[in-house]
Amino acid sequence: MAETTAIPIAPEVTLLRGHAAPTGPLVAAIGRIAAQAPFRQLSTPGGGTMSVAMTNCGPWGWHSDRRGYRYVELDPLTGARWPPMPAPFARLAREAAALGGFPGFEPDACLVNRYVPGAQMGAHRDWDELDKRFPIVSVSIGLPAAFLWYGATRRGRPLVTLVEDGDVVVWGGGARAGFHGVRKLQAGEHPATGALRYNLTFRRAK
Ligand code: MD6
Ligand code: FE
Protein backbone atom coordinates (compact mmCIF):
# COMPACT_ATOMS: atom_id res chain seq x y z
CA MET A 1 0.00 0.00 0.00
CA ALA A 2 1.33 3.44 -0.89
CA GLU A 3 1.97 5.67 2.08
CA THR A 4 -0.75 8.28 2.18
CA THR A 5 -1.48 11.36 4.20
CA ALA A 6 -5.07 11.46 5.42
CA ILE A 7 -6.38 15.02 5.15
CA PRO A 8 -9.70 15.74 6.85
CA ILE A 9 -12.17 17.65 4.67
CA ALA A 10 -14.98 17.55 7.24
CA PRO A 11 -15.77 15.20 10.15
CA GLU A 12 -15.63 11.62 8.77
CA VAL A 13 -14.77 12.91 5.28
CA THR A 14 -11.14 12.20 4.39
CA LEU A 15 -8.97 13.02 1.40
CA LEU A 16 -6.22 10.49 0.71
CA ARG A 17 -4.02 12.42 -1.64
CA GLY A 18 -2.44 10.26 -4.35
CA HIS A 19 -3.48 7.02 -2.70
CA ALA A 20 -4.61 5.48 -6.02
CA ALA A 21 -1.50 6.56 -7.97
CA PRO A 22 -0.24 5.51 -10.41
CA THR A 23 -3.57 5.37 -12.21
CA GLY A 24 -2.41 3.85 -15.52
CA PRO A 25 -3.53 0.33 -14.51
CA LEU A 26 -6.92 1.70 -13.41
CA VAL A 27 -7.40 3.43 -16.78
CA ALA A 28 -6.53 0.20 -18.59
CA ALA A 29 -9.05 -1.70 -16.45
CA ILE A 30 -11.73 0.91 -17.16
CA GLY A 31 -11.12 0.35 -20.88
CA ARG A 32 -11.73 -3.38 -20.45
CA ILE A 33 -14.90 -2.75 -18.40
CA ALA A 34 -16.27 -0.31 -20.99
CA ALA A 35 -15.61 -2.81 -23.80
CA GLN A 36 -18.17 -5.11 -22.12
CA ALA A 37 -20.48 -2.54 -20.54
CA PRO A 38 -20.28 0.68 -22.58
CA PHE A 39 -20.45 4.13 -21.03
CA ARG A 40 -23.88 5.65 -21.36
CA GLN A 41 -25.58 8.88 -20.28
CA LEU A 42 -28.46 7.86 -18.04
CA SER A 43 -31.86 9.49 -17.86
CA THR A 44 -33.13 10.84 -14.57
CA PRO A 45 -36.61 10.34 -13.10
CA GLY A 46 -37.24 14.02 -13.84
CA GLY A 47 -36.65 13.44 -17.55
CA GLY A 48 -33.19 14.97 -17.86
CA THR A 49 -30.02 13.35 -19.14
CA MET A 50 -26.95 13.21 -16.91
CA SER A 51 -23.89 14.99 -18.28
CA VAL A 52 -21.63 12.34 -16.74
CA ALA A 53 -21.48 9.02 -18.64
CA MET A 54 -21.57 5.88 -16.49
CA THR A 55 -20.96 2.19 -16.41
CA ASN A 56 -20.38 -0.31 -13.60
CA CYS A 57 -18.41 -3.31 -12.52
CA GLY A 58 -19.08 -5.75 -9.71
CA PRO A 59 -22.16 -7.73 -8.71
CA TRP A 60 -24.44 -4.68 -8.60
CA GLY A 61 -24.61 -1.68 -10.91
CA TRP A 62 -26.22 1.68 -10.25
CA HIS A 63 -28.86 2.64 -12.79
CA SER A 64 -31.21 5.54 -13.36
CA ASP A 65 -34.13 6.01 -15.72
CA ARG A 66 -37.65 7.47 -15.70
CA ARG A 67 -38.62 4.87 -13.10
CA GLY A 68 -36.03 5.98 -10.57
CA TYR A 69 -32.61 5.20 -9.14
CA ARG A 70 -31.73 1.62 -8.24
CA TYR A 71 -29.13 -1.13 -8.29
CA VAL A 72 -29.47 -3.81 -10.96
CA GLU A 73 -27.64 -7.12 -11.45
CA LEU A 74 -27.92 -7.02 -15.25
CA ASP A 75 -26.81 -4.18 -17.50
CA PRO A 76 -30.05 -2.83 -19.02
CA LEU A 77 -28.10 -1.95 -22.17
CA THR A 78 -26.76 -5.43 -22.90
CA GLY A 79 -28.81 -7.74 -20.67
CA ALA A 80 -25.56 -9.24 -19.39
CA ARG A 81 -24.08 -9.20 -15.90
CA TRP A 82 -21.81 -6.29 -15.15
CA PRO A 83 -18.11 -7.05 -15.65
CA PRO A 84 -16.50 -8.44 -12.50
CA MET A 85 -14.83 -6.02 -10.15
CA PRO A 86 -11.06 -6.33 -10.69
CA ALA A 87 -9.34 -7.56 -7.53
CA PRO A 88 -7.09 -4.46 -7.40
CA PHE A 89 -10.21 -2.24 -7.39
CA ALA A 90 -11.68 -4.05 -4.39
CA ARG A 91 -8.33 -3.96 -2.59
CA LEU A 92 -7.91 -0.24 -3.24
CA ALA A 93 -11.41 0.47 -1.92
CA ARG A 94 -10.91 -1.64 1.21
CA GLU A 95 -7.53 -0.06 2.01
CA ALA A 96 -8.78 3.46 1.41
CA ALA A 97 -11.86 2.91 3.55
CA ALA A 98 -9.67 1.63 6.40
CA LEU A 99 -7.38 4.66 6.13
CA GLY A 100 -10.50 6.84 6.26
CA GLY A 101 -11.57 5.15 9.49
CA PHE A 102 -13.91 2.49 8.11
CA PRO A 103 -12.27 -0.94 8.27
CA GLY A 104 -13.99 -4.02 6.84
CA PHE A 105 -15.38 -2.42 3.68
CA GLU A 106 -16.08 -5.00 0.96
CA PRO A 107 -17.71 -3.19 -1.97
CA ASP A 108 -20.22 -5.01 -4.17
CA ALA A 109 -20.67 -2.13 -6.63
CA CYS A 110 -18.28 0.13 -8.49
CA LEU A 111 -19.86 2.95 -10.47
CA VAL A 112 -17.47 4.18 -13.15
CA ASN A 113 -18.07 7.79 -14.14
CA ARG A 114 -16.64 9.56 -17.17
CA TYR A 115 -16.54 13.34 -17.19
CA VAL A 116 -15.90 15.33 -20.37
CA PRO A 117 -15.25 19.07 -20.12
CA GLY A 118 -18.52 20.74 -19.14
CA ALA A 119 -19.83 17.65 -17.32
CA GLN A 120 -20.77 18.14 -13.69
CA MET A 121 -22.57 16.49 -10.79
CA GLY A 122 -25.10 18.59 -8.91
CA ALA A 123 -25.49 18.41 -5.14
CA HIS A 124 -26.77 14.95 -4.22
CA ARG A 125 -26.18 12.17 -1.76
CA ASP A 126 -25.43 8.56 -2.50
CA TRP A 127 -28.47 7.09 -0.85
CA ASP A 128 -29.66 4.06 -2.81
CA GLU A 129 -27.63 1.58 -0.75
CA LEU A 130 -29.27 -0.77 1.72
CA ASP A 131 -26.90 -0.51 4.68
CA LYS A 132 -25.70 3.04 5.31
CA ARG A 133 -23.12 1.81 7.83
CA PHE A 134 -20.74 1.21 4.94
CA PRO A 135 -18.76 4.19 3.61
CA ILE A 136 -18.42 5.59 0.11
CA VAL A 137 -14.97 5.51 -1.53
CA SER A 138 -14.46 7.86 -4.48
CA VAL A 139 -11.33 7.67 -6.68
CA SER A 140 -10.33 10.48 -9.06
CA ILE A 141 -8.47 9.71 -12.28
CA GLY A 142 -7.15 12.08 -14.93
CA LEU A 143 -8.15 15.72 -15.20
CA PRO A 144 -8.54 17.61 -11.92
CA ALA A 145 -11.95 18.63 -10.63
CA ALA A 146 -13.46 20.66 -7.81
CA PHE A 147 -15.18 18.27 -5.35
CA LEU A 148 -17.91 20.04 -3.42
CA TRP A 149 -18.90 19.00 0.10
CA TYR A 150 -22.20 20.51 1.26
CA GLY A 151 -22.72 18.34 4.33
CA ALA A 152 -26.08 17.84 5.97
CA THR A 153 -28.09 20.07 3.61
CA ARG A 154 -27.72 20.92 -0.05
CA ARG A 155 -28.09 24.59 0.74
CA GLY A 156 -25.26 26.92 1.54
CA ARG A 157 -21.73 27.28 0.36
CA PRO A 158 -19.85 23.98 -0.07
CA LEU A 159 -16.30 23.20 1.00
CA VAL A 160 -14.28 23.03 -2.21
CA THR A 161 -11.48 20.46 -2.57
CA LEU A 162 -9.38 20.07 -5.71
CA VAL A 163 -9.28 16.35 -6.49
CA GLU A 164 -6.50 15.27 -8.81
CA ASP A 165 -5.33 12.10 -10.50
CA GLY A 166 -4.93 9.37 -7.86
CA ASP A 167 -6.77 11.19 -5.07
CA VAL A 168 -9.32 9.26 -3.02
CA VAL A 169 -12.13 10.68 -0.89
CA VAL A 170 -13.78 8.50 1.78
CA TRP A 171 -16.91 9.39 3.71
CA GLY A 172 -19.02 7.41 6.14
CA GLY A 173 -20.51 7.30 9.61
CA GLY A 174 -22.18 10.60 10.39
CA ALA A 175 -21.07 11.95 7.01
CA ARG A 176 -22.59 9.09 5.03
CA ALA A 177 -25.70 11.19 4.35
CA GLY A 178 -23.63 14.17 3.24
CA PHE A 179 -24.55 16.13 0.15
CA HIS A 180 -21.75 16.51 -2.36
CA GLY A 181 -21.13 17.28 -6.01
CA VAL A 182 -18.54 18.04 -8.66
CA ARG A 183 -18.11 21.40 -10.30
CA LYS A 184 -18.23 21.62 -14.10
CA LEU A 185 -15.07 20.01 -15.51
CA GLN A 186 -12.62 22.39 -17.13
CA ALA A 187 -10.97 21.42 -20.41
CA GLY A 188 -7.41 20.11 -20.23
CA GLU A 189 -5.04 17.31 -21.09
CA HIS A 190 -3.83 14.67 -18.70
CA PRO A 191 -1.16 12.05 -19.46
CA ALA A 192 -3.30 9.25 -18.00
CA THR A 193 -6.65 10.04 -19.62
CA GLY A 194 -6.26 12.74 -22.28
CA ALA A 195 -9.17 15.17 -22.19
CA LEU A 196 -11.19 13.19 -19.62
CA ARG A 197 -11.73 12.63 -15.95
CA TYR A 198 -12.83 9.30 -14.55
CA ASN A 199 -14.23 8.67 -11.11
CA LEU A 200 -14.69 5.29 -9.46
CA THR A 201 -17.33 5.28 -6.73
CA PHE A 202 -17.26 2.15 -4.58
CA ARG A 203 -20.34 1.23 -2.62
CA ARG A 204 -21.86 -1.59 -0.67
CA ALA A 205 -25.22 -1.72 -2.42
CA LYS A 206 -26.87 -4.75 -0.75
C1 MD6 B 1 -16.56 12.62 -7.94
N1 MD6 B 1 -18.73 11.63 -7.69
O1 MD6 B 1 -16.71 12.43 -9.15
C2 MD6 B 1 -17.71 12.34 -7.01
N2 MD6 B 1 -21.94 10.25 -7.13
O2 MD6 B 1 -15.52 13.06 -7.44
C3 MD6 B 1 -19.94 11.42 -7.14
O3 MD6 B 1 -20.25 11.88 -6.09
C4 MD6 B 1 -20.89 10.64 -7.83
O4 MD6 B 1 -19.71 10.70 -9.87
C5 MD6 B 1 -22.90 9.53 -7.70
C6 MD6 B 1 -22.82 9.17 -9.00
C7 MD6 B 1 -21.73 9.56 -9.74
C8 MD6 B 1 -20.73 10.32 -9.16
FE1 FE C 1 -22.00 10.93 -5.21
Side-chain angles (χ1 to χ4, degrees):
M1 190 195 311
E3 285 304 311
T4 310
T5 331
I7 302 164
I9 293 178
E12 299 186 283
V13 185
T14 303
L15 170 62
L16 305 169
R17 196 148 258 158
H19 183 67
T23 57
L26 301 179
V27 175
I30 290 169
R32 291 190 291 272
I33 290 162
Q36 289 178 248
F39 281 101
R40 80 292 306 261
Q41 284 178 265
L42 297 172
S43 302
T44 62
T49 301
M50 301 186 76
S51 60
V52 177
M54 300 184 180
T55 185
N56 293 276
C57 64
W60 292 95
W62 189 82
H63 184 68
S64 171
D65 59 20
R66 290 303 299 249
R67 287 160 47 209
Y69 304 137
R70 62 199 177 277
Y71 283 92
V72 293
E73 285 185 284
L74 303 180
D75 179 352
L77 197 60
T78 65
R81 292 195 178 282
W82 300 103
M85 192 179 308
F89 279 29
R91 192 174 329 128
L92 169 63
R94 175 164 25 86
E95 289 176 356
L99 288 170
F102 305 99
F105 180 49
E106 302 289 346
D108 62 4
C110 173
L111 174 59
V112 185
N113 303 289
R114 184 181 68 191
Y115 290 71
V116 297
Q120 62 186 317
M121 183 72 59
H124 69 280
R125 51 185 182 172
D126 298 354
W127 207 242
D128 304 308
E129 299 74 30
L130 205 54
D131 187 341
K132 312 289 194 290
R133 287 175 301 185
F134 292 103
I136 301 286
V137 173
S138 170
V139 178
S140 290
I141 302 168
L143 288 179
F147 178 75
L148 308 173
W149 185 262
Y150 292 85
T153 76
R154 65 171 81 236
R155 294 183 307 276
R157 208 193 288 271
L159 293 165
V160 185
T161 303
L162 185 73
V163 284
E164 298 180 285
D165 183 60
D167 289 352
V168 182
V169 183
V170 179
W171 62 95
R176 181 62 178 73
F179 285 91
H180 58 280
V182 178
R183 199 175 273 164
K184 191 177 283 200
L185 192 77
Q186 298 300 118
E189 275 290 317
H190 192 278
T193 60
L196 299 173
R197 171 178 190 261
Y198 295 111
N199 168 265
L200 305 175
T201 306
F202 293 95
R203 291 94 179 265
R204 180 61 172 250
K206 302 292 176 180

